[in-house]
Amino acid sequence: MQKTIFITGASRGFGKLWTEAFLKRGDKVAATSRNADAFKDLAEQYGDQFLPLSLDITDRKSVFETVQKAKEHFGSLDVVINNAGYGVFGAVEEVGEKVTKDVFEANVFGTLWVTQAALPIFREQGSGHVIQLSSVLGVWSLPTLGIYNATKFAVEGFSEALASEVKDFGINVTMIEPNGYTTDFGGTSAIHGDAIPAYDALKSTLGEMEGLLPEDYGKPEATVPAILKLIDSENPPLRLFLGKLGLPKTERVYAEKIQTWTDWKEVSEAAHG
């Protein structure tokens, strides 16, 4: 079951943890980060099994060249994991133009460019698996994370369409939907909007209201068996929740949505003409 895997954002968080797990079990891994020096220890330990690559995922030309380099180095690619990205915190009104554009460049366009670069390789092979690190926040929204939500909703939209477009080529698509984990998502890699005092009260109660207390966060290392099972699956799911909180809340949120849509059904049908 040895796989050849291309993974972005592999120098920290889930990316680092999963990369180490792949290598430990014998997979071949091409791992990217803005600075490939972050992989020095892994390169020394795993030799030809590991290909460290510097990559800015917002540079489309560089993305295509880097994915092709990985394919030529290993001869094929089985799995591409779009893990790179970061969080933006702040109410919608608080997040400025540059911050918004920058996070869309990374979380949406970077993911799209890597996906587009991998597809010709997968089509030629007649097989492949595209894995997008989305989030439960690509399925429903949280206050003060609206711009981050928007990036993940966008990834969900094109990835769901993509799955239908490429299934006859032998290509699978999976979106991973983690709930909160004790990674650095909210730490040094995160960007914060310009605070507006009007939202202070909301922010002070948000953790308790939305299940964001310390005990609600999962352990990142517990995700490893799930990821290994996913990439080994012959029939992987379109979406995979990670953690015990995401699916129950999704069920509640969508039950409420369906009830509201049903309540307005007559208005909707009358609008058909």
Side-chain angles (χ1 to χ4, degrees):
M1 280 198 176
Q2 184 190 68
K3 301 288 185 179
T4 302
I5 301 163
F6 182 98
I7 179 169
T8 65
S11 64
R12 63 196 305 174
F14 285 136
K16 181 178 181 181
L17 189 68
W18 297 343
T19 295
E20 292 174 345
F22 300 148
L23 290 168
K24 185 176 181 180
R25 75 166 196 167
D27 293 323
K28 299 175 182 178
V29 181
T32 82
S33 176
R34 282 182 175 268
N35 185 357
D37 290 343
F39 301 125
K40 183 177 179 181
D41 291 346
L42 290 178
E44 292 176 353
Q45 182 176 356
Y46 289 99
D48 292 341
Q49 184 187 341
F50 181 62
L51 178 64
L53 297 163
S54 296
L55 178 63
D56 175 358
I57 59 170
T58 68
D59 183 338
R60 189 174 188 269
K61 181 175 183 291
S62 181
V63 166
F64 273 71
E65 291 172 349
T66 303
V67 172
Q68 186 62 33
K69 182 177 180 179
K71 190 264 184 183
E72 291 173 355
H73 180 84
F74 288 122
S76 65
L77 293 176
D78 299 309
V79 181
V80 166
I81 302 176
N82 277 299
N83 172 70
Y86 62 91
V88 168
F89 291 78
V92 169
E93 186 182 355
E94 295 176 327
V95 182
E97 179 181 3
K98 184 177 188 307
V99 169
T100 300
K101 288 181 176 179
D102 286 350
V103 73
F104 267 83
E105 285 286 348
N107 291 9
V108 180
F109 293 112
T111 297
L112 178 59
W113 304 152
V114 174
T115 300
Q116 290 180 338
L119 290 175
I121 297 170
F122 287 167
R123 282 192 291 104
E124 183 180 5
Q125 294 174 169
S127 64
H129 191 178
V130 178
I131 298 177
Q132 320 288 39
L133 185 65
S134 184
S135 169
V136 292
L137 300 183
V139 183
W140 36 263
S141 297
L142 276 182
T144 74
L145 280 160
I147 300 304
Y148 177 76
N149 277 121
T151 67
K152 293 304 183 181
F153 271 62
V155 170
E156 295 268 334
F158 84 71
S159 298
E160 184 170 293
L162 174 68
S164 297
E165 293 167 356
V166 300
K167 63 180 180 180
D168 289 341
F169 302 134
I171 302 171
N172 294 306
V173 178
T174 298
M175 288 165 275
I176 298 175
E177 322 281 10
N179 54 219
Y181 277 83
T182 54
T183 63
D184 193 41
F185 173 75
T188 57
S189 64
I191 303 296
H192 294 262
D194 298 322
I196 297 173
Y199 296 101
D200 288 350
L202 170 66
K203 294 174 185 177
S204 69
T205 59
L206 187 63
E208 184 175 353
M209 289 169 49
E210 298 290 349
L212 301 175
L213 301 176
E215 60 268 26
D216 295 319
Y217 286 77
K219 299 176 180 179
E221 60 271 18
T223 65
V224 169
I227 297 305
L228 296 180
K229 185 171 183 178
L230 175 66
I231 68 172
D232 289 341
S233 174
E234 294 183 2
N235 186 29
L238 178 61
R239 290 179 174 85
L240 174 65
F241 285 89
L242 294 183
K244 64 182 181 180
L245 302 181
L247 181 56
K249 174 153 185 176
T250 300
E251 292 173 335
R252 295 195 301 272
V253 167
Y254 275 81
E256 292 170 1
K257 288 184 176 183
I258 291 171
Q259 184 60 58
T260 299
W261 296 332
T262 301
D263 291 344
W264 283 77
K265 180 180 178 181
E266 290 185 8
V267 177
S268 301
E269 292 179 346
H272 187 77

